[in-house]
Amino acid sequence: MLTIGCHLSSAKGYRQMAADAASIDANTFQFFTRNPRGGKAKPIDAADVQAFEELAQQAGIERFLAHAPYTMNPAAAKPETRQFALDVLADDLLRMEATPGQMYNMHPGCHVGQGAEVGIQLIADALNEVLAPEQTTTLLLETMAGKGTEIGGTFAELAQIIGRVELADHVGVCLDTCHVWDGGYDVAGRLDDVLEEFDREVGLDRLRAIHLNDSKNVLGARKDRHVRIGEGEIGFDALAAVVNHETLRELPFFLETPQDDLSGWAAEIAALRAARQG
Ligand code: FE
Ligand code: FE
Ligand code: ZN
């Protein structure tokens, strides 16, 4: 059974996200833990979580992926910017325990001119501060397009971060098809080779989620512009091959494609379910 969903608004709480997901034949979903540009998170409503658990069970939703605000930068040079990232991470991971056993995705960070080595160490240090042995949440580092000073544009950089994390059992990777394509990994023409390289560098056991996006730009463009499935340079057939690939097919897939409303994602989910073999 294909586990697929899209990025939903969390404005009306967890129960509403399960309802929205169910309404478009999704059986998972992603959301921002707070305003994507940062800011304070709404307190967790225990009644909402309980209503969510009930609806999720009926709808066959077992997993979701919370996404950290994308402005947060644990590799920042400015102490106050870095402290903000640490505060957000610690608070989000605490809140995640209201829904035990789920996944939390973050962009590793940008080294802002300090160099990749410094950035990698700052990110690992941040994770060593916020991860707790007793947490049930798995923190995912997202593969990035490598634009600007982004860390995580190569599998090797993600492997270096994870290699320096003490509680690495709580850490995995989310592979974004648009980002890796823009980073120069040919998931359209050489998917097996890309996964082999991922396995060599990071280990496929670390791969826990896929962001399924087409890319506006050519292979290696380092741009990061998502487009709808089949409307970009990766193409529908290649993305259908991703959801069918024997080593990926049991993972949850999350669409982060630009859509005007839920019906756009409903159509993409229907098309990908139709393309799923077995
Ligand atoms: Fe992301
Ligand atoms: Fe993504
Ligand atoms: Zn992106």
Short mmCIF file of all heavy atoms in Angstrom, two decimals, residues 115-154:
data_model
loop_
_atom_site.label_atom_id
_atom_site.label_comp_id
_atom_site.label_asym_id
_atom_site.label_seq_id
_atom_site.Cartn_x
_atom_site.Cartn_y
_atom_site.Cartn_z
N GLY A 115 32.23 28.22 5.93
CA GLY A 115 32.77 27.00 5.35
C GLY A 115 31.97 25.79 5.79
O GLY A 115 31.39 25.77 6.88
N ALA A 116 31.94 24.76 4.91
CA ALA A 116 31.12 23.57 5.18
C ALA A 116 31.55 22.86 6.45
O ALA A 116 30.72 22.41 7.24
CB ALA A 116 31.18 22.62 3.99
N GLU A 117 32.84 22.77 6.69
CA GLU A 117 33.33 22.04 7.86
C GLU A 117 32.81 22.66 9.16
O GLU A 117 32.33 21.95 10.06
CB GLU A 117 34.87 21.99 7.84
CG GLU A 117 35.53 21.53 9.13
CD GLU A 117 35.03 20.17 9.65
OE1 GLU A 117 34.68 19.30 8.83
OE2 GLU A 117 35.00 20.01 10.90
N VAL A 118 32.87 23.99 9.26
CA VAL A 118 32.36 24.68 10.45
C VAL A 118 30.85 24.47 10.56
O VAL A 118 30.32 24.17 11.64
CB VAL A 118 32.71 26.19 10.40
CG1 VAL A 118 32.00 26.95 11.52
CG2 VAL A 118 34.22 26.39 10.50
N GLY A 119 30.16 24.59 9.41
CA GLY A 119 28.72 24.41 9.41
C GLY A 119 28.31 23.02 9.88
O GLY A 119 27.41 22.87 10.70
N ILE A 120 28.99 22.02 9.36
CA ILE A 120 28.68 20.63 9.73
C ILE A 120 28.86 20.43 11.24
O ILE A 120 28.03 19.81 11.92
CB ILE A 120 29.58 19.67 8.92
CG1 ILE A 120 29.07 19.61 7.47
CG2 ILE A 120 29.63 18.27 9.54
CD1 ILE A 120 30.06 19.04 6.48
N GLN A 121 29.93 20.98 11.78
CA GLN A 121 30.18 20.82 13.22
C GLN A 121 29.12 21.55 14.05
O GLN A 121 28.65 21.01 15.06
CB GLN A 121 31.59 21.34 13.58
CG GLN A 121 32.02 20.97 15.00
CD GLN A 121 32.02 19.46 15.24
OE1 GLN A 121 32.55 18.69 14.43
NE2 GLN A 121 31.41 19.02 16.34
N LEU A 122 28.73 22.76 13.62
CA LEU A 122 27.71 23.51 14.36
C LEU A 122 26.37 22.76 14.36
O LEU A 122 25.67 22.74 15.37
CB LEU A 122 27.52 24.91 13.75
CG LEU A 122 28.64 25.92 14.03
CD1 LEU A 122 28.45 27.19 13.20
CD2 LEU A 122 28.70 26.26 15.53
N ILE A 123 26.03 22.15 13.22
CA ILE A 123 24.77 21.41 13.13
C ILE A 123 24.83 20.18 14.05
O ILE A 123 23.89 19.90 14.80
CB ILE A 123 24.46 21.01 11.67
CG1 ILE A 123 24.23 22.27 10.82
CG2 ILE A 123 23.24 20.09 11.60
CD1 ILE A 123 24.39 22.04 9.32
N ALA A 124 25.94 19.45 13.99
CA ALA A 124 26.09 18.27 14.86
C ALA A 124 26.05 18.69 16.33
O ALA A 124 25.40 18.02 17.15
CB ALA A 124 27.40 17.54 14.54
N ASP A 125 26.70 19.80 16.66
CA ASP A 125 26.67 20.29 18.05
C ASP A 125 25.24 20.61 18.49
O ASP A 125 24.84 20.29 19.62
CB ASP A 125 27.52 21.57 18.19
CG ASP A 125 29.02 21.30 18.07
OD1 ASP A 125 29.42 20.12 18.13
OD2 ASP A 125 29.77 22.28 17.92
N ALA A 126 24.48 21.24 17.58
CA ALA A 126 23.10 21.58 17.90
C ALA A 126 22.29 20.31 18.17
O ALA A 126 21.54 20.24 19.15
CB ALA A 126 22.47 22.36 16.75
N LEU A 127 22.47 19.30 17.33
CA LEU A 127 21.72 18.05 17.52
C LEU A 127 22.13 17.39 18.83
O LEU A 127 21.29 16.83 19.55
CB LEU A 127 21.90 17.11 16.33
CG LEU A 127 21.36 17.65 15.00
CD1 LEU A 127 21.53 16.62 13.89
CD2 LEU A 127 19.89 18.04 15.12
N ASN A 128 23.41 17.46 19.15
CA ASN A 128 23.86 16.87 20.41
C ASN A 128 23.29 17.61 21.62
O ASN A 128 23.16 17.03 22.70
CB ASN A 128 25.39 16.84 20.46
CG ASN A 128 25.94 15.71 19.60
OD1 ASN A 128 25.31 14.64 19.47
ND2 ASN A 128 27.09 15.92 18.98
N GLU A 129 22.91 18.87 21.43
CA GLU A 129 22.28 19.61 22.54
C GLU A 129 20.81 19.26 22.69
O GLU A 129 20.29 19.22 23.81
CB GLU A 129 22.40 21.12 22.32
CG GLU A 129 23.66 21.70 22.92
CD GLU A 129 23.61 23.22 23.01
OE1 GLU A 129 22.64 23.76 23.59
OE2 GLU A 129 24.56 23.84 22.50
N VAL A 130 20.11 19.04 21.57
CA VAL A 130 18.64 18.93 21.67
C VAL A 130 18.12 17.49 21.68
O VAL A 130 16.99 17.27 22.14
CB VAL A 130 17.93 19.71 20.53
CG1 VAL A 130 18.27 21.20 20.64
CG2 VAL A 130 18.28 19.16 19.16
N LEU A 131 18.87 16.54 21.17
CA LEU A 131 18.36 15.16 21.15
C LEU A 131 18.44 14.57 22.56
O LEU A 131 19.39 14.84 23.30
CB LEU A 131 19.16 14.29 20.18
CG LEU A 131 19.04 14.66 18.69
CD1 LEU A 131 19.99 13.80 17.86
CD2 LEU A 131 17.61 14.50 18.19
N ALA A 132 17.42 13.79 22.90
CA ALA A 132 17.37 13.16 24.22
C ALA A 132 17.25 11.65 24.06
O ALA A 132 16.55 11.19 23.16
CB ALA A 132 16.19 13.71 25.01
N PRO A 133 17.91 10.87 24.94
CA PRO A 133 17.87 9.41 24.79
C PRO A 133 16.44 8.86 24.79
O PRO A 133 16.14 7.91 24.08
CB PRO A 133 18.64 8.89 26.01
CG PRO A 133 19.39 10.04 26.56
CD PRO A 133 18.71 11.30 26.10
N GLU A 134 15.55 9.48 25.58
CA GLU A 134 14.21 8.92 25.77
C GLU A 134 13.22 9.37 24.70
O GLU A 134 12.08 8.93 24.70
CB GLU A 134 13.69 9.28 27.17
CG GLU A 134 13.44 10.77 27.41
CD GLU A 134 14.70 11.56 27.81
OE1 GLU A 134 15.82 11.00 27.71
OE2 GLU A 134 14.54 12.72 28.22
N GLN A 135 13.63 10.24 23.79
CA GLN A 135 12.66 10.73 22.80
C GLN A 135 12.22 9.61 21.87
O GLN A 135 13.00 8.70 21.56
CB GLN A 135 13.24 11.91 22.02
CG GLN A 135 14.25 11.52 20.96
CD GLN A 135 14.73 12.74 20.17
OE1 GLN A 135 15.24 13.69 20.74
NE2 GLN A 135 14.52 12.70 18.87
N THR A 136 10.95 9.70 21.42
CA THR A 136 10.42 8.68 20.51
C THR A 136 10.37 9.20 19.08
O THR A 136 10.05 8.45 18.15
CB THR A 136 9.01 8.26 20.93
OG1 THR A 136 8.11 9.37 20.77
CG2 THR A 136 8.97 7.79 22.38
N THR A 137 10.66 10.47 18.91
CA THR A 137 10.62 11.11 17.59
C THR A 137 11.93 10.87 16.85
O THR A 137 13.00 10.95 17.45
CB THR A 137 10.42 12.63 17.76
OG1 THR A 137 9.25 12.87 18.53
CG2 THR A 137 10.31 13.33 16.41
N THR A 138 11.82 10.57 15.56
CA THR A 138 13.01 10.49 14.73
C THR A 138 13.20 11.82 14.01
O THR A 138 12.28 12.31 13.36
CB THR A 138 12.89 9.36 13.69
OG1 THR A 138 12.66 8.13 14.39
CG2 THR A 138 14.17 9.22 12.87
N LEU A 139 14.37 12.41 14.17
CA LEU A 139 14.69 13.67 13.51
C LEU A 139 15.32 13.37 12.15
O LEU A 139 16.27 12.59 12.06
CB LEU A 139 15.65 14.49 14.38
CG LEU A 139 16.04 15.87 13.84
CD1 LEU A 139 16.20 16.86 14.99
CD2 LEU A 139 17.32 15.80 13.02
N LEU A 140 14.75 13.95 11.11
CA LEU A 140 15.27 13.73 9.76
C LEU A 140 16.00 14.98 9.26
O LEU A 140 15.51 16.10 9.41
CB LEU A 140 14.14 13.40 8.79
CG LEU A 140 13.20 12.25 9.16
CD1 LEU A 140 12.23 11.98 8.00
CD2 LEU A 140 13.96 10.99 9.52
N LEU A 141 17.15 14.76 8.66
CA LEU A 141 17.87 15.82 7.96
C LEU A 141 17.48 15.72 6.49
O LEU A 141 17.54 14.64 5.91
CB LEU A 141 19.38 15.62 8.12
CG LEU A 141 19.92 15.73 9.54
CD1 LEU A 141 21.36 15.24 9.59
CD2 LEU A 141 19.82 17.16 10.06
N GLU A 142 17.09 16.85 5.91
CA GLU A 142 16.64 16.84 4.52
C GLU A 142 17.81 17.05 3.57
O GLU A 142 18.69 17.88 3.80
CB GLU A 142 15.58 17.93 4.31
CG GLU A 142 15.00 17.93 2.89
CD GLU A 142 13.76 18.80 2.75
OE1 GLU A 142 13.22 19.28 3.77
OE2 GLU A 142 13.33 18.99 1.60
N THR A 143 17.80 16.28 2.47
CA THR A 143 18.79 16.50 1.41
C THR A 143 18.47 17.84 0.74
O THR A 143 17.31 18.13 0.43
CB THR A 143 18.69 15.40 0.33
OG1 THR A 143 17.38 15.41 -0.23
CG2 THR A 143 19.00 14.03 0.91
N MET A 144 19.46 18.68 0.54
CA MET A 144 19.24 20.02 0.02
C MET A 144 19.76 20.16 -1.41
O MET A 144 20.53 19.33 -1.89
CB MET A 144 19.90 21.05 0.94
CG MET A 144 19.42 20.99 2.39
SD MET A 144 17.60 21.05 2.59
CE MET A 144 17.26 22.72 2.03
N ALA A 145 19.34 21.26 -2.08
CA ALA A 145 19.76 21.48 -3.46
C ALA A 145 21.20 22.00 -3.53
O ALA A 145 21.81 21.99 -4.59
CB ALA A 145 18.82 22.48 -4.13
N GLY A 146 21.72 22.47 -2.41
CA GLY A 146 23.09 23.00 -2.40
C GLY A 146 23.18 24.42 -2.92
O GLY A 146 24.24 24.88 -3.34
N LYS A 147 22.06 25.15 -2.83
CA LYS A 147 22.11 26.55 -3.28
C LYS A 147 22.74 27.41 -2.17
O LYS A 147 22.64 27.10 -0.99
CB LYS A 147 20.73 27.05 -3.67
CG LYS A 147 19.74 27.25 -2.54
CD LYS A 147 18.45 27.85 -3.10
CE LYS A 147 17.48 28.27 -2.00
NZ LYS A 147 17.06 27.20 -1.09
N GLY A 148 23.40 28.47 -2.60
CA GLY A 148 24.04 29.36 -1.62
C GLY A 148 25.02 28.60 -0.76
O GLY A 148 25.88 27.87 -1.27
N THR A 149 24.90 28.74 0.55
CA THR A 149 25.83 28.07 1.47
C THR A 149 25.16 26.90 2.19
O THR A 149 25.62 26.48 3.26
CB THR A 149 26.42 29.06 2.50
OG1 THR A 149 25.37 29.50 3.38
CG2 THR A 149 27.06 30.26 1.82
N GLU A 150 24.09 26.37 1.59
CA GLU A 150 23.37 25.24 2.21
C GLU A 150 24.29 24.05 2.47
O GLU A 150 25.03 23.62 1.59
CB GLU A 150 22.26 24.75 1.26
CG GLU A 150 20.95 25.47 1.40
CD GLU A 150 19.93 25.03 0.35
OE1 GLU A 150 20.25 24.17 -0.51
OE2 GLU A 150 18.82 25.56 0.38
N ILE A 151 24.16 23.50 3.66
CA ILE A 151 24.79 22.21 3.99
C ILE A 151 23.78 21.11 3.68
O ILE A 151 22.58 21.30 3.88
CB ILE A 151 25.14 22.13 5.50
CG1 ILE A 151 26.01 23.32 5.93
CG2 ILE A 151 25.79 20.81 5.85
CD1 ILE A 151 27.45 23.22 5.56
N GLY A 152 24.25 19.98 3.19
CA GLY A 152 23.34 18.87 2.91
C GLY A 152 23.02 18.76 1.43
O GLY A 152 22.11 18.03 1.05
N GLY A 153 23.78 19.45 0.60
CA GLY A 153 23.63 19.32 -0.84
C GLY A 153 24.31 18.06 -1.38
O GLY A 153 24.12 17.70 -2.53
N THR A 154 25.09 17.41 -0.52
CA THR A 154 25.67 16.11 -0.89
C THR A 154 25.35 15.10 0.22
O THR A 154 25.18 15.47 1.38
CB THR A 154 27.21 16.17 -1.04
OG1 THR A 154 27.78 16.47 0.25
CG2 THR A 154 27.63 17.24 -2.05
#
